[in-house]
Amino acid sequence: MFKKLDMIKLMLQELGGEMAELEAILQHEEAHWAIQFDDGTVVLMEWVDGPSRLILSASLGKVSAPMQMAVYETMLSYNLLWRETGGVKAALNGPEGELMLLFELHAEQLTVNMLKIVLENFAGLVHVWGTYVKTETGSRPLDALSTDAVHLRA
């Protein structure tokens, strides 16, 4: 496990110099990082073994009461499209909790370039979904989302 973690640390150091939009990369524990982008987006990253992979997650915030049903239905429908979305999943962090986006990047796919692309695209999804989740009104939930904006491209 230590070799893989060292490899990830080196990749993150390299990305810090390549990605101007990265504001900070903080390591919280041995296998946990917080990556902050210049637009305020924060992506949490965790290394997990069995199978070896990086788990990306981000909070989208809480949805307003009038929009809960529409947003929850949209996000459940989004989960069903996992093939089209590249495997990105939406979740609710407990009753009345914040909505989350999650993505698993398996070790065999892990290169510096792949990590860069996935982080950029995931942060973009977090921004789009976060804006949508915080929408206060609207009767047509998908109007706030473009179909191209909700897919993770890698």
Side-chain angles (χ1 to χ4, degrees), residues 59 61-63 68 72 91-100 133:
S59 172
K62 289 187 175 187
V63 64
Q68 274 185 345
Y72 291 172
L92 180 62
N93 191 4
E96 299 183 36
E98 294 185 343
L99 291 168
M100 305 285 295
V133 164

Side-chain angles (χ1 to χ4, degrees), residues 72-136:
Y72 291 172
E73 285 178 358
T74 302
M75 295 197 91
L76 283 170
S77 297
Y78 183 76
N79 278 345
L80 186 61
L81 300 172
W82 62 271
R83 284 185 180 96
E84 289 84 2
T85 65
V88 177
K89 300 173 194 114
L92 180 62
N93 191 4
E96 299 183 36
E98 294 185 343
L99 291 168
M100 305 285 295
L101 275 187
L102 303 144
F103 181 71
E104 296 182 23
L105 180 59
H106 292 271
E108 63 270 5
Q109 300 170 312
L110 195 56
T111 65
V112 173
N113 191 50
M114 179 60 71
L115 184 57
K116 178 183 181 211
I117 291 167
V118 168
L119 280 172
E120 288 172 340
N121 291 340
F122 189 75
L125 281 175
V126 170
H127 180 75
V128 168
W129 275 106
T131 300
Y132 171 65
V133 164
K134 293 171 187 135
T135 300
E136 295 294 326

